[in-house]
Amino acid sequence: MSKGRVHVVGAGIVGLATAASLVQRGYEVTVIDREGPAAGASQGNAAAIAWTDVAPMASPGLWKQAIKWLADPLGPLTVRPAYALKILPWMLRFLAASNPERVARSTEALVDINSAVLPAWERLWRVSGTHNQVRRDGCLELLDTPASLENARKSWAEQRKHGIAVEELEAGAIRELEPDLSTRAIGGGLVPDWAQVDDPKILCLSLADWLKGQGVDFAVGEVDRLEPHDNGCGLILKSGERIEANRLVIACGAWSKHLAAQLGDRIPLDTERGYNITIPDPAVTVKRFIMLPGHGFVLSPLSTGLRVGGAVEFGGLHLPPNWKRVDAMVAKARLFYPGLKTEGGKRWMGFRPSLPDSLPVISPATHHGGVFYAFGHAHHGLTQAAVTGEMIADMIDGKAHAVDPAPFAADRF
């Protein structure tokens, strides 16, 4: 017997994973998206299941590095001048989240949710038949200066404290793993339990196809307004159409902020714009996920080519892309892979929905029963999607989940 219908706004990976958890619990589900499955950040991310990342972006020592990066307009971190005043309140919250006590709390919450990531994904991969789209070749972090190597060692020590394996490697051992590498790297670390998917867009479309086979309905339309009432919530689309939802999940990433605000939740969500290029024939072999923490980007081998991407640009949802950022990443990538070619590469820019304390909102709405939030995952939307979906389904079911939801509450701000 059906438990009734739940409407999910957002057909990115978090919305799809939430729909998957709900349909398995016996709910009827309708997914509404402004463009359709995998139209936003879920199609262009780096494909990592980065459950081993437990350090929040906000940290006491980050500001020294950030100031250095901000001096380079094409560096790993930049603020577009036209957006500087708008991002200032977010930055001040980020600074407040960087004190040691707040960082310790955020780290504890990340360890808690990320420890549930792989088991949740294993369940979803298995039931949806997408288990063959997963790779387990590990992640190789490369460092090219003594200072960056020393900083990495501190991060690895923190990961080991939480039971995450990291093997430090010398330069020669690194090149045995990645023969096409130059001699640029002086050291690195192998995180063997890291996982990634073949291609995030293909995974999303596969999940969407499976969901359709389970009876999930998909609708294309942009939700413009919410009108909550005693029996649920009215969704007013930009087309003028009205949809009545008894239970509603808002999971539309960077576009979630204004919907939550209409329900009285002023959540300090902003966007970290990320850039990449996916090269079908890069002329070099990259055998596993490569992270370059000193330079703020990654190289990710996909089934569709090599993806070179990353960086953080604060510029909101409306400013045009600055494609010179892709050129800058490619130039740096060639320091490590001199034979890298980019002919036929496809450039992309997307919006990571980010909160100052590096924790998503996975929570009931503060003031309206029957409405739930699942957004703000920043760099870890793909990573945390499956466990987020299970947490939301438990909330709707009125059950407790193994992950403590308190750090992810909408009213924490």
Side-chain angles (χ1 to χ4, degrees):
M1 180 179 294
S2 170
K3 294 181 178 180
R5 185 167 294 277
V6 180
H7 287 75
V8 178
V9 180
I13 189 60
V14 174
L16 295 173
T18 301
S21 288
L22 290 167
V23 77
Q24 290 178 80
R25 307 283 183 98
Y27 291 95
E28 298 175 70
V29 182
T30 298
V31 179
I32 306 166
D33 191 272
R34 56 206 292 271
E35 295 182 67
S42 293
Q43 69 170 293
N45 64 66
I49 309 295
W51 71 273
T52 58
D53 287 354
V54 295
M57 289 289 291
S59 62
L62 180 65
W63 285 96
K64 294 179 182 178
Q65 183 70 62
I67 291 170
K68 186 185 301 182
W69 282 345
L70 284 169
D72 179 0
L74 296 178
L77 172 64
T78 190
V79 177
R80 296 282 283 269
Y83 201 70
L85 288 178
K86 290 183 179 179
I87 196 60
L88 182 59
W90 190 97
M91 286 290 189
L92 293 174
R93 287 179 176 270
F94 183 81
L95 178 60
S98 299
N99 75 67
E101 183 180 343
R102 294 276 303 276
V103 169
R105 292 204 302 268
S106 292
T107 300
E108 183 179 350
L110 287 171
V111 169
D112 192 22
I113 193 171
N114 283 1
S115 67
V117 158
L118 277 183
W121 264 120
E122 293 286 0
R123 289 186 283 272
L124 182 50
W125 286 327
R126 185 170 57 250
V127 74
S128 64
T130 54
H131 55 282
N132 61 343
Q133 297 186 31
V134 187
R135 304 179 184 185
R136 303 177 188 273
D137 301 314
C139 170
L140 185 59
E141 296 184 29
L142 301 181
L143 294 310
D144 58 349
T145 67
S148 64
L149 181 56
E150 189 56 37
N151 286 335
R153 285 174 175 147
K154 294 175 184 176
S155 297
W156 300 335
E158 183 71 20
Q159 287 175 295
R160 293 184 186 115
K161 275 174 50 180
H162 299 292
I164 297 164
V166 184
E167 179 185 355
E168 183 171 349
L169 301 176
E170 296 181 348
I174 290 171
R175 282 188 287 278
E176 287 182 11
L177 293 176
E178 296 287 339
D180 285 358
L181 266 174
S182 70
T183 58
R184 173 97 182 182
I186 64 170
L190 178 66
V191 185
D193 297 325
W194 180 284
Q196 76 170 95
V197 300
D198 281 343
D199 184 285
K201 182 176 183 179
I202 293 173
L203 175 64
C204 285
L205 295 178
S206 298
L207 286 174
D209 286 343
W210 176 78
L211 288 167
K212 291 172 185 176
Q214 304 303 304
V216 173
D217 296 325
F218 284 81
V220 174
E222 184 171 356
V223 179
D224 186 44
R225 299 196 322 277
L226 299 178
E227 295 182 355
H229 49 73
D230 291 343
N231 298 318
C233 190
L235 282 64
I236 315 302
L237 306 189
K238 280 201 169 179
S239 65
E241 180 184 357
R242 181 185 179 96
I243 299 173
E244 289 295 336
N246 286 25
R247 283 163 293 199
L248 173 66
V249 180
I250 297 175
C252 48
W255 287 267
S256 302
K257 179 178 180 177
H258 81 284
L259 296 181
Q262 293 175 31
L263 300 175
D265 284 309
R266 305 290 177 178
I267 296 174
L269 183 75
D270 216 292
T271 61
E272 297 179 41
R273 294 150 62 111
Y275 290 80
N276 68 44
I277 182 171
T278 305
I279 310 160
D281 183 11
V284 295
T285 298
V286 179
K287 294 187 174 183
R288 56 187 51 75
F289 196 99
I290 301 291
M291 187 180 294
L292 298 159
H295 299 279
F297 71 97
V298 305
L299 294 90
S300 179
L302 308 181
S303 59
T304 48
L306 178 65
R307 181 160 290 170
V308 180
V312 171
E313 178 188 74
F314 289 102
L317 293 169
H318 305 297
L319 291 177
N322 178 6
W323 296 119
K324 291 181 180 179
R325 297 187 64 76
V326 173
D327 299 335
M329 282 190 288
V330 168
K332 288 184 177 180
R334 285 187 174 131
L335 297 176
F336 294 86
Y337 284 89
L340 177 66
K341 298 185 183 303
T342 60
E343 286 78 4
K346 182 179 180 181
R347 299 181 180 199
W348 179 87
M349 188 273 285
F351 305 100
R352 307 181 189 100
S354 299
L355 291 155
D357 60 2
S358 300
L359 303 179
V361 175
I362 308 169
S363 167
T366 305
H367 308 289
H368 298 282
V371 181
F372 301 84
Y373 301 141
F375 59 80
H377 295 76
H379 297 251
H380 296 113
L382 177 61
T383 297
Q384 296 166 350
V387 65
T388 295
E390 291 184 355
M391 291 172 69
I392 291 292
D394 277 338
M395 290 175 189
I396 292 175
D397 267 346
K399 298 178 180 178
H401 191 276
V403 175
D404 180 7
F408 310 100
D411 62 2
R412 72 182 190 266
F413 305 104

